[in-house]
Amino acid sequence: EVQLVESGGGLVQAGESLRLSCTASGFTLDDYAVGWFRQAPGKERIGVSCISRNGGTYYPDSVKGRFTTSRDKARNTVYLDIRRLKPEDTAAYYCAADQDCIATDWNKYDGWGQGTQVTVSS
């Protein structure tokens, strides 16, 4: 079965760090660009990072410097490291895999998984 599974979320205090994992089964994640997205209650899903097939990374200004995405080829996993967590980072976090970070219309992506919840207390 082809699927992506997110994990690593939890309840943390502001200022702490978390590592989220996106693990693939049924396909090789290294062959795809992988984006991380988050959706807070009542808000739209937005992108927070992307790692391309050649290892290039992209972040919106809102998270640049605190979010880092990386690959672990041996584990068929992409990570999202979040530092200095803020209450406004509270959201469900999802990953997605497609051909290209920039060219892909992620709004049309239909393979969303269950996500992993991150809750940051102040």
Side-chain angles (χ1 to χ4, degrees), residues 71-91:
R71 293 186 184 271
D72 185 334
K73 296 179 183 180
R75 290 180 167 79
N76 209 22
T77 295
V78 167
Y79 300 112
L80 181 66
D81 290 297
I82 310 175
R83 298 182 297 277
R84 303 192 304 278
L85 277 153
K86 305 176 181 180
E88 50 264 44
D89 294 322
T90 295

Side-chain angles (χ1 to χ4, degrees), residues 32-103:
Y32 294 85
V34 179
W36 278 98
F37 302 79
R38 68 184 180 188
Q39 187 168 22
K43 296 188 177 181
E44 292 185 349
R45 188 169 1 223
I46 60 172
V48 295
S49 73
C50 192
I51 185 165
S52 67
R53 287 179 288 179
N54 66 7
T57 55
Y58 303 87
Y59 308 94
D61 289 343
S62 59
V63 304
K64 200 172 290 184
R66 293 194 304 118
F67 286 32
T68 303
T69 188
S70 60
R71 293 186 184 271
D72 185 334
K73 296 179 183 180
R75 290 180 167 79
N76 209 22
T77 295
V78 167
Y79 300 112
L80 181 66
D81 290 297
I82 310 175
R83 298 182 297 277
R84 303 192 304 278
L85 277 153
K86 305 176 181 180
E88 50 264 44
D89 294 322
T90 295
Y93 284 72
Y94 303 86
C95 62
D98 212 301
Q99 295 303 309
D100 186 85
C101 285
I102 304 301

